[in-house]
Amino acid sequence: MIKVLKISAAAAIVSLGFSSCKVFQGAEVACSPDPIEVHADSITIKISADVPPKSGMRKGGTYVGEGKIGEVSQGKIVFSSDRYPNLRKMGIDTQLVFKRPYFERMDGNQLVIKQTYGRKGKTYELPDLENLCNCCITTSYNVYEGSYLIFSEHSYQKKVKVERNAKFNFPKNVFAIQEDQYSKSDITAIGEYLKKKYITDKVVIEGFASPEGPYARNVMLSVNRSKEVRMWLTEQLKAAGYNNYLDSTFFDIRVTNEDWEGFKNSIGDKYPPDVTNQIISLVSAGLEPDDLERQIMALVGGKDKVEYILAPLRRATIRMAGYEVRRTDEEIDKIASDFIRGNGADLKDTFGKEEWMYAISRRQKNSGKRALLEAFRDAYPSDPRPFNDLGVVALLSGDLDAGANYLDKAYKLRKNDYGVLNNVGVAYLKQGKYQDAKAILESSVSLNSNPEANFNLGVVLEKMARYNQAVEKFNVAGELYGASYNAGLSKLLMGDLNGAKNSFNESIRKNGDKMAEPYYGLAVVGARSKDASLMGSNLKKACTINSEYKDKARKDLEFRNYYTSAEFKTAIQ
């Protein structure tokens, strides 16, 4: 828009005090863009100013034009005739770019140039240049911040697998359990397993015989060794109260009549390679048991020579697999609730560390989380997790200072935790410290490309007007609520109307009518592309979901060309 100040000779003589008819008649000023747009919390205004030849601006004269939007100064245009020796013939034609912070109080105002002309120590006011550029389009402020925060992780498992393996050894040709076997550590571990009442899925008992002597005798030994161990274990189960486990399906009984595999695996490097290879080949050859024994014993010099290998093979094994009995969620919740109400005991004596964190994770109200976290922090002051989670609770409650303080402590305790880094980044974002937020969120993403940090980093990049990079981050966080919408907004701010339209529609497909923002974004796309139907139908939908958009749209310069149209009026009624 160009505004030309033309002052009549008579008026100029009065206002400037000049006696000559050759008076300074003013400047021609143009401003772009119109309306002014906000990007990265600032506005950029391009001013074109022209003083024509023979304008009446004389030697020693200085023109000053100060731009204002409302009461906020945008800078000055200064022309001194002494700098332009050919002013009379050539005039002055220049362009200036002003980048200034944006303030909400500038909205609804226009750029006005306050003009003065000075010469010979006197300053004369000239009429204002008004109605230049309108302020401001603030579509960049429509970003959905979300502020996705990450609570600490715990390693508590509701069902922990427990396994015990034990082995009974037997003398040669014996299947009765020997007295000295009961004191072995792996056998006593079975007793401890039973005392703790672990839930047991199955017990596997396997009897073995060493592979020397008649095959029929070895079958008898392996079977009876497994039976003896089953009888012993059954007595132990009964004594421990495991009566419901004693049916026939509970025990998995197996036998290895002649343990040639165990023999083969025990040889190691005790024999020359050619002998070892022959033994391995024979074991795999499928020979009759007695024939296999005869050939192998001939290779090793007789069974007495390998008694040190055979003795450990006379055994029976037990494998008990189950899981640890733990408190139910209801029991955990009751303990936590009693403590919050002041009726509980010291949680450090009640909960294990990870169980305590699990109890905290189950609380829905921040007040309950806070009480449990403060107690955990006091019990484990070197653990960063309570500080992190207290910081998250504070931020969610709107206490930015407390949140930042807690998160700073968590960061000092653990600087390579992607969740802590994400949350510190959110605190910086809320404080408007975008460079700091960007750096620490990038660190979070480098450790773990989690959707939360990518989303928050996208918000930071959008606020810094790095729209293309923001789109990349929102695409990574695409399943998070608001990510597709924000990607569309960044495309819109880059001027990619088709891309913005596609992303807004994707957001609608994901979220349905839960979110008004993508409909409002489509309305802006319609306004910018001069599609009144697209503008009107989507603006109406946005206003239906959230009536606050009616007032927003009435003031939004995106719709300046439609304020009086039927589509716009219908949408906001």
Side-chain angles (χ1 to χ4, degrees):
M1 179 182 294
I2 298 176
K3 295 296 180 183
V4 182
L5 176 60
K6 296 293 186 180
I7 307 174
S8 69
I13 291 171
V14 173
S15 63
L16 300 180
F18 295 154
S19 59
S20 169
C21 63
K22 286 290 186 178
V23 296
F24 178 46
Q25 298 184 24
E28 296 179 353
V29 178
C31 164
S32 64
D34 185 19
I36 301 166
E37 295 188 22
V38 180
H39 296 279
D41 292 337
S42 65
I43 60 172
T44 300
I45 310 170
K46 184 177 180 181
I47 300 291
S48 299
D50 177 49
V51 176
K54 300 180 181 180
S55 64
M57 187 173 182
R58 302 174 65 185
K59 184 178 180 181
T62 300
Y63 168 81
V64 177
E66 181 182 10
K68 284 192 171 184
I69 300 177
E71 295 302 316
V72 183
S73 176
Q74 304 300 312
K76 294 181 178 180
I77 308 167
V78 180
F79 297 140
S80 175
S81 60
D82 294 341
R83 293 184 57 193
Y84 300 92
N86 295 322
L87 172 63
R88 184 177 179 82
K89 292 183 179 180
M90 304 294 295
I92 302 171
D93 186 4
T94 188
Q95 292 184 343
L96 299 171
V97 177
F98 297 89
K99 186 171 183 178
R100 295 290 184 268
Y102 164 75
F103 301 97
E104 285 189 18
R105 62 181 183 272
M106 292 159 51
D107 276 345
N109 293 288
Q110 297 170 330
L111 177 65
V112 174
I113 304 293
K114 300 284 185 179
Q115 303 185 112
T116 61
Y117 180 68
R119 187 169 182 268
K120 292 184 177 181
K122 294 183 179 181
T123 300
Y124 307 92
E125 291 189 3
L126 303 178
D128 295 344
L129 287 179
E130 299 179 335
N131 303 323
L132 290 174
C133 292
N134 293 284
C135 181
C136 284
I137 287 180
T138 57
T139 300
S140 63
Y141 279 26
N142 293 347
V143 63
Y144 176 75
E145 291 196 21
S147 296
Y148 286 100
L149 296 156
I150 300 176
F151 280 104
S152 299
E153 297 178 351
H154 60 80
S155 59
Y156 181 77
Q157 296 178 337
K158 295 175 67 174
K159 187 174 182 178
V160 180
K161 291 183 178 179
V162 180
E163 185 172 310
R164 295 290 185 273
N165 295 298
K167 179 174 68 174
F168 286 92
N169 291 103
F170 296 87
K172 186 176 182 180
N173 295 324
V174 173
F175 57 78
I177 298 175
Q178 304 299 294
E179 189 67 29
D180 65 335
Q181 295 293 295
Y182 296 124
S183 60
K184 289 173 54 181
S185 60
D186 57 338
I187 304 302
T188 58
I190 293 289
E192 293 301 315
Y193 178 102
L194 298 176
K195 287 179 183 178
K196 291 183 179 180
K197 290 291 191 294
Y198 293 135
I199 306 299
T200 305
D201 296 320
K202 203 161 188 74
V203 173
V204 178
I205 297 174
E206 185 167 7
F208 296 83
S210 56
E212 89 286 1
Y215 179 73
R217 184 191 65 189
N218 289 334
V219 170
M220 181 273 296
L221 288 169
S222 62
V223 170
N224 282 288
R225 285 168 181 167
S226 65
K227 287 182 178 180
E228 286 288 310
V229 169
R230 176 181 176 175
M231 289 172 58
W232 171 83
L233 184 56
T234 299
E235 292 176 0
Q236 304 304 310
L237 288 166
K238 285 180 179 179
Y242 280 74
N243 296 322
N244 56 323
Y245 291 139
L246 301 180
D247 60 79
S248 58
T249 62
F250 180 61
F251 294 101
D252 181 1
I253 306 299
R254 305 173 186 178
V255 292
T256 298
N257 297 322
E258 291 191 335
D259 190 9
W260 283 113
E261 284 296 321
F263 183 90
K264 179 182 70 175
N265 295 333
S266 300
I267 291 174
D269 58 357
K270 298 178 178 65
Y271 292 92
D274 60 324
V275 174
T276 300
N277 290 334
Q278 288 184 66
I279 292 172
I280 292 172
S281 296
L282 287 169
V283 169
S284 304
L287 300 174
E288 289 295 321
D290 292 339
D291 190 27
L292 175 60
E293 179 188 352
R294 180 181 57 78
Q295 294 191 44
I296 289 180
M297 292 307 166
L299 286 170
V300 298
K303 58 185 177 181
D304 292 337
K305 297 289 186 181
V306 289
E307 175 61 20
Y308 68 96
I309 294 178
L310 296 172
L313 302 180
R314 302 167 190 136
R315 68 200 189 280
T317 61
I318 301 172
R319 181 169 63 84
M320 299 189 72
Y323 55 93
E324 181 181 340
V325 179
R326 292 198 161 188
R327 292 186 180 96
T328 65
D329 287 348
E330 291 75 15
E331 290 170 331
I332 290 173
D333 291 343
K334 184 179 185 306
I335 293 170
S337 296
D338 287 345
F339 178 83
I340 293 168
R341 289 193 295 265
N343 301 326
D346 186 348
L347 291 181
K348 192 172 184 180
D349 296 332
T350 307
F351 283 144
K353 192 174 183 181
E354 297 308 311
E355 186 180 24
W356 194 343
M357 285 299 297
Y358 175 66
I360 293 170
S361 73
R362 290 185 53 78
R363 308 310 297 184
Q364 298 300 312
K365 293 183 178 180
N366 286 334
S367 58
K369 280 185 182 291
R370 187 182 297 110
L372 294 172
L373 285 165
E374 288 172 345
F376 189 100
R377 173 203 59 196
D378 295 342
Y380 303 103
S382 62
D383 193 316
R385 293 179 296 178
F387 294 102
N388 176 74
D389 289 10
L390 283 167
V392 171
V393 169
L395 291 181
L396 291 173
S397 302
D399 191 342
L400 180 55
D401 290 340
N405 183 53
Y406 280 127
L407 290 169
D408 180 63
K409 292 177 180 177
Y411 176 72
K412 289 176 179 176
L413 287 168
R414 185 178 295 166
K415 295 184 177 181
N416 61 345
D417 186 298
Y418 77 93
V420 172
L421 292 170
N422 171 77
N423 299 336
V424 173
V426 172
Y428 282 140
L429 169 60
K430 290 181 177 294
Q431 292 170 324
K433 299 177 180 178
Y434 300 144
Q435 289 289 355
D436 291 333
K438 176 177 176 292
I440 205 157
L441 287 168
E442 286 174 339
S443 296
S444 177
V445 169
S446 69
L447 289 170
N448 180 329
S449 188
N450 60 95
E452 293 86 357
N454 275 289
F455 183 98
N456 295 325
L457 181 55
V459 172
V460 171
L461 292 167
E462 192 276 344
K463 287 182 174 291
M464 298 174 75
R466 300 184 184 184
Y467 301 126
N468 192 48
Q469 296 176 46
V471 170
E472 294 176 2
K473 300 304 175 184
F474 290 132
N475 286 342
V476 174
E479 295 307 311
L480 288 182
Y481 183 83
S484 296
Y485 161 73
N486 279 348
L489 178 64
S490 294
K491 292 174 184 177
L492 174 63
L493 295 167
M494 287 190 292
D496 180 6
L497 298 184
N498 284 332
K501 186 177 179 179
N502 290 336
S503 291
F504 289 145
N505 281 323
E506 180 183 358
S507 177
I508 291 169
R509 285 194 296 272
K510 288 180 177 178
N511 303 308
D513 293 346
K514 295 178 182 178
M515 196 176 195
E517 287 89 338
Y519 289 104
Y520 195 85
L522 285 170
V524 174
V525 170
R528 291 195 179 191
S529 60
K530 297 180 173 58
D531 185 336
S533 176
L534 181 67
M535 182 278 299
S537 61
N538 285 285
L539 182 57
K540 182 176 178 62
K541 187 70 175 178
C543 293
T544 300
I545 297 171
N546 185 349
S547 61
E548 292 181 3
Y549 278 103
K550 294 180 182 180
D551 288 336
K552 177 178 174 63
R554 289 188 183 100
K555 302 172 186 176
D556 195 338
L557 293 177
E558 292 279 15
F559 304 112
R560 62 196 179 279
N561 297 324
Y562 293 93
Y563 287 154
T564 60
S565 70
E567 293 89 350
F568 184 82
K569 291 180 179 179
T570 299
I572 64 171
Q573 67 184 6

